[in-house]
Amino acid sequence: MENINGKVFLSIHHEKAQELLNNAIFHFTQENDIVTASFYSKSICYGELVGLVNKSGILHVILNLFCTDSTFYSGTCDFQIKRMEDICILCGNITLSGEEQLHKEIILQEITPS
C-alpha cells in the first residue's frame, strides 16, 4: 500500500454507503505500517481510527466516532487502495456498532493529490 501520510480524504456518497459517514473529511498520518486518522462531518463531531497495513497491502482499522446527536459508534474496516490518475481511492467494507450493527461500504477519495 502506498504511504498516505499527510493526505486528506473525503468520503464519497454512493447508494451502498453508510449515510452517517457521507462527506466526512479524514486527515491521515502514517509511520511505517501504522496508520491513524482523525475525521469529522456535518453529523460527526469527532472520529478517530488506528490501523495496520498487512503484507497484502490491506489496511485494517478500528474506529470510534461521536455524533452531533450524542450517539457513539465503534467499528472496524478493511481498506484497499486504488490509484486513479493522480489521486488515491480507499475502498472498504465497514461495520459500525451503536444501538444496532451496520454493515456498509465506504469510499474515500484523496482531496490532496500528489
Side-chain angles (χ1 to χ4, degrees), residues 57-83:
I58 296 172
L59 171 59
H60 300 282
V61 303
I62 57 171
L63 60 140
N64 295 303
L65 53 112
F66 184 70
C67 300
T68 56
D69 65 0
S70 297
T71 56
F72 177 80
Y73 292 89
S74 185
T76 61
C77 188
D78 293 330
F79 285 107
Q80 292 185 333
I81 194 165
K82 297 179 182 179
R83 175 146 291 278

mmCIF file with all atom_site columns, all heavy atoms in Angstrom, residues 57-83:
data_model
loop_
_atom_site.group_PDB
_atom_site.id
_atom_site.type_symbol
_atom_site.label_atom_id
_atom_site.label_alt_id
_atom_site.label_comp_id
_atom_site.label_asym_id
_atom_site.label_entity_id
_atom_site.label_seq_id
_atom_site.pdbx_PDB_ins_code
_atom_site.Cartn_x
_atom_site.Cartn_y
_atom_site.Cartn_z
_atom_site.occupancy
_atom_site.B_iso_or_equiv
_atom_site.pdbx_formal_charge
_atom_site.auth_seq_id
_atom_site.auth_comp_id
_atom_site.auth_asym_id
_atom_site.auth_atom_id
_atom_site.pdbx_PDB_model_num
ATOM 1   N N   . GLY A 1 57 ? -1.095  -5.496 1.675  1.00 0.00 ? 57 GLY A N   1
ATOM 2   C CA  . GLY A 1 57 ? -1.406  -4.103 1.365  1.00 0.00 ? 57 GLY A CA  1
ATOM 3   C C   . GLY A 1 57 ? -2.784  -3.664 1.805  1.00 0.00 ? 57 GLY A C   1
ATOM 4   O O   . GLY A 1 57 ? -3.222  -2.569 1.472  1.00 0.00 ? 57 GLY A O   1
ATOM 5   N N   . ILE A 1 58 ? -3.481  -4.500 2.572  1.00 0.00 ? 58 ILE A N   1
ATOM 6   C CA  . ILE A 1 58 ? -4.813  -4.138 3.077  1.00 0.00 ? 58 ILE A CA  1
ATOM 7   C C   . ILE A 1 58 ? -4.646  -3.425 4.413  1.00 0.00 ? 58 ILE A C   1
ATOM 8   O O   . ILE A 1 58 ? -3.883  -3.857 5.279  1.00 0.00 ? 58 ILE A O   1
ATOM 9   C CB  . ILE A 1 58 ? -5.705  -5.381 3.224  1.00 0.00 ? 58 ILE A CB  1
ATOM 10  C CG1 . ILE A 1 58 ? -5.943  -5.995 1.842  1.00 0.00 ? 58 ILE A CG1 1
ATOM 11  C CG2 . ILE A 1 58 ? -7.025  -5.038 3.912  1.00 0.00 ? 58 ILE A CG2 1
ATOM 12  C CD1 . ILE A 1 58 ? -6.649  -7.322 1.856  1.00 0.00 ? 58 ILE A CD1 1
ATOM 13  N N   . LEU A 1 59 ? -5.342  -2.319 4.568  1.00 0.00 ? 59 LEU A N   1
ATOM 14  C CA  . LEU A 1 59 ? -5.315  -1.533 5.794  1.00 0.00 ? 59 LEU A CA  1
ATOM 15  C C   . LEU A 1 59 ? -6.485  -1.957 6.677  1.00 0.00 ? 59 LEU A C   1
ATOM 16  O O   . LEU A 1 59 ? -7.640  -1.769 6.316  1.00 0.00 ? 59 LEU A O   1
ATOM 17  C CB  . LEU A 1 59 ? -5.403  -0.036 5.467  1.00 0.00 ? 59 LEU A CB  1
ATOM 18  C CG  . LEU A 1 59 ? -5.596  0.927  6.633  1.00 0.00 ? 59 LEU A CG  1
ATOM 19  C CD1 . LEU A 1 59 ? -4.459  0.819  7.633  1.00 0.00 ? 59 LEU A CD1 1
ATOM 20  C CD2 . LEU A 1 59 ? -5.745  2.353  6.116  1.00 0.00 ? 59 LEU A CD2 1
ATOM 21  N N   . HIS A 1 60 ? -6.185  -2.581 7.817  1.00 0.00 ? 60 HIS A N   1
ATOM 22  C CA  . HIS A 1 60 ? -7.194  -2.999 8.796  1.00 0.00 ? 60 HIS A CA  1
ATOM 23  C C   . HIS A 1 60 ? -7.258  -1.920 9.875  1.00 0.00 ? 60 HIS A C   1
ATOM 24  O O   . HIS A 1 60 ? -6.235  -1.614 10.486 1.00 0.00 ? 60 HIS A O   1
ATOM 25  C CB  . HIS A 1 60 ? -6.819  -4.329 9.447  1.00 0.00 ? 60 HIS A CB  1
ATOM 26  C CG  . HIS A 1 60 ? -6.684  -5.465 8.487  1.00 0.00 ? 60 HIS A CG  1
ATOM 27  N ND1 . HIS A 1 60 ? -7.763  -6.121 7.957  1.00 0.00 ? 60 HIS A ND1 1
ATOM 28  C CD2 . HIS A 1 60 ? -5.587  -6.049 7.957  1.00 0.00 ? 60 HIS A CD2 1
ATOM 29  C CE1 . HIS A 1 60 ? -7.340  -7.078 7.145  1.00 0.00 ? 60 HIS A CE1 1
ATOM 30  N NE2 . HIS A 1 60 ? -6.016  -7.046 7.123  1.00 0.00 ? 60 HIS A NE2 1
ATOM 31  N N   . VAL A 1 61 ? -8.442  -1.344 10.100 1.00 0.00 ? 61 VAL A N   1
ATOM 32  C CA  . VAL A 1 61 ? -8.574  -0.274 11.098 1.00 0.00 ? 61 VAL A CA  1
ATOM 33  C C   . VAL A 1 61 ? -9.694  -0.558 12.085 1.00 0.00 ? 61 VAL A C   1
ATOM 34  O O   . VAL A 1 61 ? -10.643 -1.276 11.783 1.00 0.00 ? 61 VAL A O   1
ATOM 35  C CB  . VAL A 1 61 ? -8.818  1.117  10.445 1.00 0.00 ? 61 VAL A CB  1
ATOM 36  C CG1 . VAL A 1 61 ? -7.716  1.480  9.483  1.00 0.00 ? 61 VAL A CG1 1
ATOM 37  C CG2 . VAL A 1 61 ? -10.167 1.203  9.787  1.00 0.00 ? 61 VAL A CG2 1
ATOM 38  N N   . ILE A 1 62 ? -9.551  0.057  13.262 1.00 0.00 ? 62 ILE A N   1
ATOM 39  C CA  . ILE A 1 62 ? -10.651 0.179  14.204 1.00 0.00 ? 62 ILE A CA  1
ATOM 40  C C   . ILE A 1 62 ? -10.945 1.669  14.294 1.00 0.00 ? 62 ILE A C   1
ATOM 41  O O   . ILE A 1 62 ? -10.050 2.500  14.139 1.00 0.00 ? 62 ILE A O   1
ATOM 42  C CB  . ILE A 1 62 ? -10.339 -0.417 15.588 1.00 0.00 ? 62 ILE A CB  1
ATOM 43  C CG1 . ILE A 1 62 ? -9.105  0.209  16.209 1.00 0.00 ? 62 ILE A CG1 1
ATOM 44  C CG2 . ILE A 1 62 ? -10.184 -1.927 15.504 1.00 0.00 ? 62 ILE A CG2 1
ATOM 45  C CD1 . ILE A 1 62 ? -8.879  -0.184 17.657 1.00 0.00 ? 62 ILE A CD1 1
ATOM 46  N N   . LEU A 1 63 ? -12.210 2.011  14.490 1.00 0.00 ? 63 LEU A N   1
ATOM 47  C CA  . LEU A 1 63 ? -12.565 3.418  14.541 1.00 0.00 ? 63 LEU A CA  1
ATOM 48  C C   . LEU A 1 63 ? -13.634 3.677  15.581 1.00 0.00 ? 63 LEU A C   1
ATOM 49  O O   . LEU A 1 63 ? -14.411 2.778  15.935 1.00 0.00 ? 63 LEU A O   1
ATOM 50  C CB  . LEU A 1 63 ? -13.025 3.918  13.174 1.00 0.00 ? 63 LEU A CB  1
ATOM 51  C CG  . LEU A 1 63 ? -14.234 3.249  12.543 1.00 0.00 ? 63 LEU A CG  1
ATOM 52  C CD1 . LEU A 1 63 ? -15.106 4.286  11.881 1.00 0.00 ? 63 LEU A CD1 1
ATOM 53  C CD2 . LEU A 1 63 ? -13.766 2.250  11.515 1.00 0.00 ? 63 LEU A CD2 1
ATOM 54  N N   . ASN A 1 64 ? -13.641 4.899  16.084 1.00 0.00 ? 64 ASN A N   1
ATOM 55  C CA  . ASN A 1 64 ? -14.636 5.383  17.032 1.00 0.00 ? 64 ASN A CA  1
ATOM 56  C C   . ASN A 1 64 ? -15.093 6.747  16.561 1.00 0.00 ? 64 ASN A C   1
ATOM 57  O O   . ASN A 1 64 ? -14.282 7.534  16.064 1.00 0.00 ? 64 ASN A O   1
ATOM 58  C CB  . ASN A 1 64 ? -14.043 5.524  18.435 1.00 0.00 ? 64 ASN A CB  1
ATOM 59  C CG  . ASN A 1 64 ? -13.632 4.201  19.023 1.00 0.00 ? 64 ASN A CG  1
ATOM 60  O OD1 . ASN A 1 64 ? -14.436 3.292  19.136 1.00 0.00 ? 64 ASN A OD1 1
ATOM 61  N ND2 . ASN A 1 64 ? -12.367 4.087  19.377 1.00 0.00 ? 64 ASN A ND2 1
ATOM 62  N N   . LEU A 1 65 ? -16.391 7.006  16.713 1.00 0.00 ? 65 LEU A N   1
ATOM 63  C CA  . LEU A 1 65 ? -16.889 8.327  16.347 1.00 0.00 ? 65 LEU A CA  1
ATOM 64  C C   . LEU A 1 65 ? -18.012 8.762  17.265 1.00 0.00 ? 65 LEU A C   1
ATOM 65  O O   . LEU A 1 65 ? -18.796 7.949  17.741 1.00 0.00 ? 65 LEU A O   1
ATOM 66  C CB  . LEU A 1 65 ? -17.330 8.368  14.888 1.00 0.00 ? 65 LEU A CB  1
ATOM 67  C CG  . LEU A 1 65 ? -18.325 7.338  14.393 1.00 0.00 ? 65 LEU A CG  1
ATOM 68  C CD1 . LEU A 1 65 ? -19.636 7.998  14.062 1.00 0.00 ? 65 LEU A CD1 1
ATOM 69  C CD2 . LEU A 1 65 ? -17.751 6.677  13.162 1.00 0.00 ? 65 LEU A CD2 1
ATOM 70  N N   . PHE A 1 66 ? -18.027 10.050 17.543 1.00 0.00 ? 66 PHE A N   1
ATOM 71  C CA  . PHE A 1 66 ? -19.033 10.672 18.391 1.00 0.00 ? 66 PHE A CA  1
ATOM 72  C C   . PHE A 1 66 ? -19.820 11.646 17.516 1.00 0.00 ? 66 PHE A C   1
ATOM 73  O O   . PHE A 1 66 ? -19.230 12.508 16.856 1.00 0.00 ? 66 PHE A O   1
ATOM 74  C CB  . PHE A 1 66 ? -18.373 11.404 19.560 1.00 0.00 ? 66 PHE A CB  1
ATOM 75  C CG  . PHE A 1 66 ? -19.343 11.984 20.534 1.00 0.00 ? 66 PHE A CG  1
ATOM 76  C CD1 . PHE A 1 66 ? -20.089 11.164 21.362 1.00 0.00 ? 66 PHE A CD1 1
ATOM 77  C CD2 . PHE A 1 66 ? -19.523 13.350 20.616 1.00 0.00 ? 66 PHE A CD2 1
ATOM 78  C CE1 . PHE A 1 66 ? -21.006 11.697 22.261 1.00 0.00 ? 66 PHE A CE1 1
ATOM 79  C CE2 . PHE A 1 66 ? -20.426 13.897 21.510 1.00 0.00 ? 66 PHE A CE2 1
ATOM 80  C CZ  . PHE A 1 66 ? -21.162 13.068 22.335 1.00 0.00 ? 66 PHE A CZ  1
ATOM 81  N N   . CYS A 1 67 ? -21.144 11.488 17.505 1.00 0.00 ? 67 CYS A N   1
ATOM 82  C CA  . CYS A 1 67 ? -22.003 12.256 16.593 1.00 0.00 ? 67 CYS A CA  1
ATOM 83  C C   . CYS A 1 67 ? -22.626 13.478 17.259 1.00 0.00 ? 67 CYS A C   1
ATOM 84  O O   . CYS A 1 67 ? -22.685 13.574 18.482 1.00 0.00 ? 67 CYS A O   1
ATOM 85  C CB  . CYS A 1 67 ? -23.112 11.358 16.056 1.00 0.00 ? 67 CYS A CB  1
ATOM 86  S SG  . CYS A 1 67 ? -22.466 9.955  15.146 1.00 0.00 ? 67 CYS A SG  1
ATOM 87  N N   . THR A 1 68 ? -23.107 14.384 16.418 1.00 0.00 ? 68 THR A N   1
ATOM 88  C CA  . THR A 1 68 ? -23.732 15.617 16.903 1.00 0.00 ? 68 THR A CA  1
ATOM 89  C C   . THR A 1 68 ? -25.011 15.348 17.690 1.00 0.00 ? 68 THR A C   1
ATOM 90  O O   . THR A 1 68 ? -25.413 16.173 18.489 1.00 0.00 ? 68 THR A O   1
ATOM 91  C CB  . THR A 1 68 ? -24.035 16.571 15.733 1.00 0.00 ? 68 THR A CB  1
ATOM 92  O OG1 . THR A 1 68 ? -24.845 15.889 14.774 1.00 0.00 ? 68 THR A OG1 1
ATOM 93  C CG2 . THR A 1 68 ? -22.750 17.057 15.077 1.00 0.00 ? 68 THR A CG2 1
ATOM 94  N N   . ASP A 1 69 ? -25.636 14.175 17.467 1.00 0.00 ? 69 ASP A N   1
ATOM 95  C CA  . ASP A 1 69 ? -26.842 13.829 18.224 1.00 0.00 ? 69 ASP A CA  1
ATOM 96  C C   . ASP A 1 69 ? -26.513 13.053 19.501 1.00 0.00 ? 69 ASP A C   1
ATOM 97  O O   . ASP A 1 69 ? -27.370 12.424 20.105 1.00 0.00 ? 69 ASP A O   1
ATOM 98  C CB  . ASP A 1 69 ? -27.828 13.041 17.362 1.00 0.00 ? 69 ASP A CB  1
ATOM 99  C CG  . ASP A 1 69 ? -27.300 11.681 16.941 1.00 0.00 ? 69 ASP A CG  1
ATOM 100 O OD1 . ASP A 1 69 ? -26.158 11.325 17.303 1.00 0.00 ? 69 ASP A OD1 1
ATOM 101 O OD2 . ASP A 1 69 ? -28.038 10.960 16.239 1.00 0.00 ? 69 ASP A OD2 1
ATOM 102 N N   . SER A 1 70 ? -25.244 13.098 19.929 1.00 0.00 ? 70 SER A N   1
ATOM 103 C CA  . SER A 1 70 ? -24.725 12.461 21.145 1.00 0.00 ? 70 SER A CA  1
ATOM 104 C C   . SER A 1 70 ? -24.680 10.941 21.090 1.00 0.00 ? 70 SER A C   1
ATOM 105 O O   . SER A 1 70 ? -24.575 10.288 22.122 1.00 0.00 ? 70 SER A O   1
ATOM 106 C CB  . SER A 1 70 ? -25.517 12.912 22.387 1.00 0.00 ? 70 SER A CB  1
ATOM 107 O OG  . SER A 1 70 ? -25.362 14.292 22.577 1.00 0.00 ? 70 SER A OG  1
ATOM 108 N N   . THR A 1 71 ? -24.748 10.356 19.907 1.00 0.00 ? 71 THR A N   1
ATOM 109 C CA  . THR A 1 71 ? -24.571 8.911  19.784 1.00 0.00 ? 71 THR A CA  1
ATOM 110 C C   . THR A 1 71 ? -23.103 8.600  19.553 1.00 0.00 ? 71 THR A C   1
ATOM 111 O O   . THR A 1 71 ? -22.347 9.437  19.051 1.00 0.00 ? 71 THR A O   1
ATOM 112 C CB  . THR A 1 71 ? -25.425 8.309  18.644 1.00 0.00 ? 71 THR A CB  1
ATOM 113 O OG1 . THR A 1 71 ? -25.105 8.988  17.425 1.00 0.00 ? 71 THR A OG1 1
ATOM 114 C CG2 . THR A 1 71 ? -26.905 8.428  18.937 1.00 0.00 ? 71 THR A CG2 1
ATOM 115 N N   . PHE A 1 72 ? -22.708 7.391  19.928 1.00 0.00 ? 72 PHE A N   1
ATOM 116 C CA  . PHE A 1 72 ? -21.326 6.933  19.802 1.00 0.00 ? 72 PHE A CA  1
ATOM 117 C C   . PHE A 1 72 ? -21.325 5.641  19.007 1.00 0.00 ? 72 PHE A C   1
ATOM 118 O O   . PHE A 1 72 ? -22.174 4.775  19.205 1.00 0.00 ? 72 PHE A O   1
ATOM 119 C CB  . PHE A 1 72 ? -20.737 6.699  21.199 1.00 0.00 ? 72 PHE A CB  1
ATOM 120 C CG  . PHE A 1 72 ? -19.345 6.147  21.170 1.00 0.00 ? 72 PHE A CG  1
ATOM 121 C CD1 . PHE A 1 72 ? -18.256 6.981  20.954 1.00 0.00 ? 72 PHE A CD1 1
ATOM 122 C CD2 . PHE A 1 72 ? -19.115 4.790  21.341 1.00 0.00 ? 72 PHE A CD2 1
ATOM 123 C CE1 . PHE A 1 72 ? -16.968 6.473  20.931 1.00 0.00 ? 72 PHE A CE1 1
ATOM 124 C CE2 . PHE A 1 72 ? -17.834 4.282  21.314 1.00 0.00 ? 72 PHE A CE2 1
ATOM 125 C CZ  . PHE A 1 72 ? -16.756 5.121  21.107 1.00 0.00 ? 72 PHE A CZ  1
ATOM 126 N N   . TYR A 1 73 ? -20.384 5.516  18.085 1.00 0.00 ? 73 TYR A N   1
ATOM 127 C CA  . TYR A 1 73 ? -20.229 4.301  17.296 1.00 0.00 ? 73 TYR A CA  1
ATOM 128 C C   . TYR A 1 73 ? -18.784 3.840  17.362 1.00 0.00 ? 73 TYR A C   1
ATOM 129 O O   . TYR A 1 73 ? -17.869 4.657  17.440 1.00 0.00 ? 73 TYR A O   1
ATOM 130 C CB  . TYR A 1 73 ? -20.591 4.538  15.823 1.00 0.00 ? 73 TYR A CB  1
ATOM 131 C CG  . TYR A 1 73 ? -22.042 4.812  15.586 1.00 0.00 ? 73 TYR A CG  1
ATOM 132 C CD1 . TYR A 1 73 ? -22.527 6.108  15.627 1.00 0.00 ? 73 TYR A CD1 1
ATOM 133 C CD2 . TYR A 1 73 ? -22.934 3.786  15.330 1.00 0.00 ? 73 TYR A CD2 1
ATOM 134 C CE1 . TYR A 1 73 ? -23.864 6.378  15.407 1.00 0.00 ? 73 TYR A CE1 1
ATOM 135 C CE2 . TYR A 1 73 ? -24.276 4.041  15.112 1.00 0.00 ? 73 TYR A CE2 1
ATOM 136 C CZ  . TYR A 1 73 ? -24.732 5.341  15.157 1.00 0.00 ? 73 TYR A CZ  1
ATOM 137 O OH  . TYR A 1 73 ? -26.062 5.595  14.941 1.00 0.00 ? 73 TYR A OH  1
ATOM 138 N N   . SER A 1 74 ? -18.621 2.544  17.294 1.00 0.00 ? 74 SER A N   1
ATOM 139 C CA  . SER A 1 74 ? -17.306 1.934  17.225 1.00 0.00 ? 74 SER A CA  1
ATOM 140 C C   . SER A 1 74 ? -17.358 0.895  16.125 1.00 0.00 ? 74 SER A C   1
ATOM 141 O O   . SER A 1 74 ? -18.419 0.317  15.863 1.00 0.00 ? 74 SER A O   1
ATOM 142 C CB  . SER A 1 74 ? -16.980 1.270  18.567 1.00 0.00 ? 74 SER A CB  1
ATOM 143 O OG  . SER A 1 74 ? -15.664 0.773  18.560 1.00 0.00 ? 74 SER A OG  1
ATOM 144 N N   . GLY A 1 75 ? -16.247 0.667  15.441 1.00 0.00 ? 75 GLY A N   1
ATOM 145 C CA  . GLY A 1 75 ? -16.316 -0.303 14.363 1.00 0.00 ? 75 GLY A CA  1
ATOM 146 C C   . GLY A 1 75 ? -14.963 -0.686 13.806 1.00 0.00 ? 75 GLY A C   1
ATOM 147 O O   . GLY A 1 75 ? -13.915 -0.317 14.328 1.00 0.00 ? 75 GLY A O   1
ATOM 148 N N   . THR A 1 76 ? -15.039 -1.438 12.711 1.00 0.00 ? 76 THR A N   1
ATOM 149 C CA  . THR A 1 76 ? -13.855 -1.907 12.003 1.00 0.00 ? 76 THR A CA  1
ATOM 150 C C   . THR A 1 76 ? -14.046 -1.697 10.508 1.00 0.00 ? 76 THR A C   1
ATOM 151 O O   . THR A 1 76 ? -15.176 -1.595 10.027 1.00 0.00 ? 76 THR A O   1
ATOM 152 C CB  . THR A 1 76 ? -13.605 -3.408 12.254 1.00 0.00 ? 76 THR A CB  1
ATOM 153 O OG1 . THR A 1 76 ? -14.721 -4.155 11.777 1.00 0.00 ? 76 THR A OG1 1
ATOM 154 C CG2 . THR A 1 76 ? -13.372 -3.704 13.720 1.00 0.00 ? 76 THR A CG2 1
ATOM 155 N N   . CYS A 1 77 ? -12.937 -1.638 9.803  1.00 0.00 ? 77 CYS A N   1
ATOM 156 C CA  . CYS A 1 77 ? -12.994 -1.502 8.350  1.00 0.00 ? 77 CYS A CA  1
ATOM 157 C C   . CYS A 1 77 ? -11.704 -2.056 7.764  1.00 0.00 ? 77 CYS A C   1
ATOM 158 O O   . CYS A 1 77 ? -10.641 -1.947 8.372  1.00 0.00 ? 77 CYS A O   1
ATOM 159 C CB  . CYS A 1 77 ? -13.162 -0.039 7.946  1.00 0.00 ? 77 CYS A CB  1
ATOM 160 S SG  . CYS A 1 77 ? -13.460 0.188  6.179  1.00 0.00 ? 77 CYS A SG  1
ATOM 161 N N   . ASP A 1 78 ? -11.821 -2.664 6.592  1.00 0.00 ? 78 ASP A N   1
ATOM 162 C CA  . ASP A 1 78 ? -10.674 -3.121 5.816  1.00 0.00 ? 78 ASP A CA  1
ATOM 163 C C   . ASP A 1 78 ? -10.651 -2.316 4.526  1.00 0.00 ? 78 ASP A C   1
ATOM 164 O O   . ASP A 1 78 ? -11.601 -2.367 3.751  1.00 0.00 ? 78 ASP A O   1
ATOM 165 C CB  . ASP A 1 78 ? -10.778 -4.608 5.477  1.00 0.00 ? 78 ASP A CB  1
ATOM 166 C CG  . ASP A 1 78 ? -10.667 -5.483 6.697  1.00 0.00 ? 78 ASP A CG  1
ATOM 167 O OD1 . ASP A 1 78 ? -9.979  -5.083 7.650  1.00 0.00 ? 78 ASP A OD1 1
ATOM 168 O OD2 . ASP A 1 78 ? -11.268 -6.574 6.710  1.00 0.00 ? 78 ASP A OD2 1
ATOM 169 N N   . PHE A 1 79 ? -9.580  -1.560 4.311  1.00 0.00 ? 79 PHE A N   1
ATOM 170 C CA  . PHE A 1 79 ? -9.443  -0.715 3.129  1.00 0.00 ? 79 PHE A CA  1
ATOM 171 C C   . PHE A 1 79 ? -8.445  -1.316 2.141  1.00 0.00 ? 79 PHE A C   1
ATOM 172 O O   . PHE A 1 79 ? -7.406  -1.823 2.539  1.00 0.00 ? 79 PHE A O   1
ATOM 173 C CB  . PHE A 1 79 ? -8.908  0.677  3.500  1.00 0.00 ? 79 PHE A CB  1
ATOM 174 C CG  . PHE A 1 79 ? -9.893  1.580  4.159  1.00 0.00 ? 79 PHE A CG  1
ATOM 175 C CD1 . PHE A 1 79 ? -9.791  1.855  5.513  1.00 0.00 ? 79 PHE A CD1 1
ATOM 176 C CD2 . PHE A 1 79 ? -10.912 2.182  3.436  1.00 0.00 ? 79 PHE A CD2 1
ATOM 177 C CE1 . PHE A 1 79 ? -10.681 2.712  6.130  1.00 0.00 ? 79 PHE A CE1 1
ATOM 178 C CE2 . PHE A 1 79 ? -11.805 3.038  4.045  1.00 0.00 ? 79 PHE A CE2 1
ATOM 179 C CZ  . PHE A 1 79 ? -11.697 3.305  5.395  1.00 0.00 ? 79 PHE A CZ  1
ATOM 180 N N   . GLN A 1 80 ? -8.771  -1.187 0.876  1.00 0.00 ? 80 GLN A N   1
ATOM 181 C CA  . GLN A 1 80 ? -7.828  -1.466 -0.201 1.00 0.00 ? 80 GLN A CA  1
ATOM 182 C C   . GLN A 1 80 ? -7.615  -0.159 -0.943 1.00 0.00 ? 80 GLN A C   1
ATOM 183 O O   . GLN A 1 80 ? -8.543  0.631  -1.099 1.00 0.00 ? 80 GLN A O   1
ATOM 184 C CB  . GLN A 1 80 ? -8.363  -2.530 -1.148 1.00 0.00 ? 80 GLN A CB  1
ATOM 185 C CG  . GLN A 1 80 ? -8.460  -3.888 -0.500 1.00 0.00 ? 80 GLN A CG  1
ATOM 186 C CD  . GLN A 1 80 ? -8.876  -4.961 -1.479 1.00 0.00 ? 80 GLN A CD  1
ATOM 187 O OE1 . GLN A 1 80 ? -9.544  -4.686 -2.469 1.00 0.00 ? 80 GLN A OE1 1
ATOM 188 N NE2 . GLN A 1 80 ? -8.479  -6.180 -1.195 1.00 0.00 ? 80 GLN A NE2 1
ATOM 189 N N   . ILE A 1 81 ? -6.396  0.056  -1.406 1.00 0.00 ? 81 ILE A N   1
ATOM 190 C CA  . ILE A 1 81 ? -6.079  1.304  -2.088 1.00 0.00 ? 81 ILE A CA  1
ATOM 191 C C   . ILE A 1 81 ? -6.096  1.092  -3.592 1.00 0.00 ? 81 ILE A C   1
ATOM 192 O O   . ILE A 1 81 ? -5.698  0.046  -4.081 1.00 0.00 ? 81 ILE A O   1
ATOM 193 C CB  . ILE A 1 81 ? -4.720  1.859  -1.627 1.00 0.00 ? 81 ILE A CB  1
ATOM 194 C CG1 . ILE A 1 81 ? -4.558  3.300  -2.064 1.00 0.00 ? 81 ILE A CG1 1
ATOM 195 C CG2 . ILE A 1 81 ? -3.583  1.006  -2.108 1.00 0.00 ? 81 ILE A CG2 1
ATOM 196 C CD1 . ILE A 1 81 ? -3.439  4.035  -1.378 1.00 0.00 ? 81 ILE A CD1 1
ATOM 197 N N   . LYS A 1 82 ? -6.618  2.093  -4.290 1.00 0.00 ? 82 LYS A N   1
ATOM 198 C CA  . LYS A 1 82 ? -6.605  2.106  -5.754 1.00 0.00 ? 82 LYS A CA  1
ATOM 199 C C   . LYS A 1 82 ? -6.067  3.461  -6.177 1.00 0.00 ? 82 LYS A C   1
ATOM 200 O O   . LYS A 1 82 ? -6.358  4.470  -5.548 1.00 0.00 ? 82 LYS A O   1
ATOM 201 C CB  . LYS A 1 82 ? -8.009  1.910  -6.314 1.00 0.00 ? 82 LYS A CB  1
ATOM 202 C CG  . LYS A 1 82 ? -8.618  0.581  -5.970 1.00 0.00 ? 82 LYS A CG  1
ATOM 203 C CD  . LYS A 1 82 ? -10.007 0.442  -6.521 1.00 0.00 ? 82 LYS A CD  1
ATOM 204 C CE  . LYS A 1 82 ? -10.597 -0.897 -6.106 1.00 0.00 ? 82 LYS A CE  1
ATOM 205 N NZ  . LYS A 1 82 ? -11.952 -1.080 -6.594 1.00 0.00 ? 82 LYS A NZ  1
ATOM 206 N N   . ARG A 1 83 ? -5.270  3.486  -7.213 1.00 0.00 ? 83 ARG A N   1
ATOM 207 C CA  . ARG A 1 83 ? -4.760  4.750  -7.740 1.00 0.00 ? 83 ARG A CA  1
ATOM 208 C C   . ARG A 1 83 ? -5.472  5.017  -9.051 1.00 0.00 ? 83 ARG A C   1
ATOM 209 O O   . ARG A 1 83 ? -5.525  4.165  -9.919 1.00 0.00 ? 83 ARG A O   1
ATOM 210 C CB  . ARG A 1 83 ? -3.256  4.689  -7.954 1.00 0.00 ? 83 ARG A CB  1
ATOM 211 C CG  . ARG A 1 83 ? -2.775  5.972  -8.606 1.00 0.00 ? 83 ARG A CG  1
ATOM 212 C CD  . ARG A 1 83 ? -1.414  6.410  -8.184 1.00 0.00 ? 83 ARG A CD  1
ATOM 213 N NE  . ARG A 1 83 ? -1.218  6.885  -6.848 1.00 0.00 ? 83 ARG A NE  1
ATOM 214 C CZ  . ARG A 1 83 ? -1.487  8.113  -6.423 1.00 0.00 ? 83 ARG A CZ  1
ATOM 215 N NH1 . ARG A 1 83 ? -2.086  8.975  -7.184 1.00 0.00 ? 83 ARG A NH1 1
ATOM 216 N NH2 . ARG A 1 83 ? -1.180  8.471  -5.210 1.00 0.00 ? 83 ARG A NH2 1
#
